[in-house]
Amino acid sequence: MIECRITDKASENAAAEKGKNLIVIVETSDWTVIPLENLVAQSDKIVAAVKNRHEAELALTVLEKGVYGILLRTDKPAVVKEVAGLVKNAAGAVNLVPFTVTRIRPVGWATGSAWTPARS
């Protein structure tokens, strides 16, 4: 997992390239639809760092499939509650299927911020 700050087209391209192999947490000072659409179109491992419900909703619905996950950066409990409700309502039903665990391997600890997958 790696974090990238999107400041221009070059940093957007770099994040998309890294997203081919890694989960990439992307952040920008002002989310607009186009950079996020470009990233999601190129990688299914994009996690959007968001600050509020509006940004979370944009991230979760971009290109009708949304990002892999969102990272909510706020210290306001009301915003956490709003975004949690949004994620819960957007999740819908998940069909469960049987599976067999074939291997368990340690992958280490994430550093920095925790993140929440938007979709499985």
Side-chain angles (χ1 to χ4, degrees):
M1 184 180 314
I2 190 167
E3 288 192 52
C4 293
R5 181 146 184 82
I6 307 300
T7 57
D8 55 19
K9 189 65 178 172
S11 59
E12 179 185 320
N13 290 340
E17 185 63 31
K18 291 174 185 173
K20 292 178 181 177
N21 300 310
L22 298 168
I23 293 172
V24 180
I25 299 171
V26 293
E27 184 173 15
T28 184
S29 59
D30 180 32
W31 275 121
T32 59
V33 175
I34 300 302
L36 199 50
E37 282 182 345
N38 292 343
L39 290 167
V40 170
Q42 296 178 63
S43 172
D44 61 352
K45 297 177 182 169
I46 300 297
V47 175
V50 299
K51 296 181 227 84
N52 54 51
R53 178 188 166 89
H54 173 73
E55 290 180 355
E57 190 168 13
L58 172 68
L60 292 169
T61 59
V62 69
L63 291 183
E64 298 182 8
K65 71 176 190 171
V67 294
Y68 179 72
I70 58 171
L71 170 64
L72 181 58
R73 291 194 171 159
T74 185
D75 58 358
K76 298 175 182 163
V79 173
V80 174
K81 189 174 181 178
E82 283 180 356
V83 173
L86 176 69
V87 170
K88 184 177 179 182
N89 291 336
V94 176
N95 295 326
L96 301 179
V97 295
F99 69 94
T100 303
V101 176
T102 59
R103 179 175 46 162
I104 299 173
R105 64 184 173 113
V107 294
W109 291 95
T111 58
S113 305
W115 59 278
T116 303
R119 307 221 190 269
S120 51

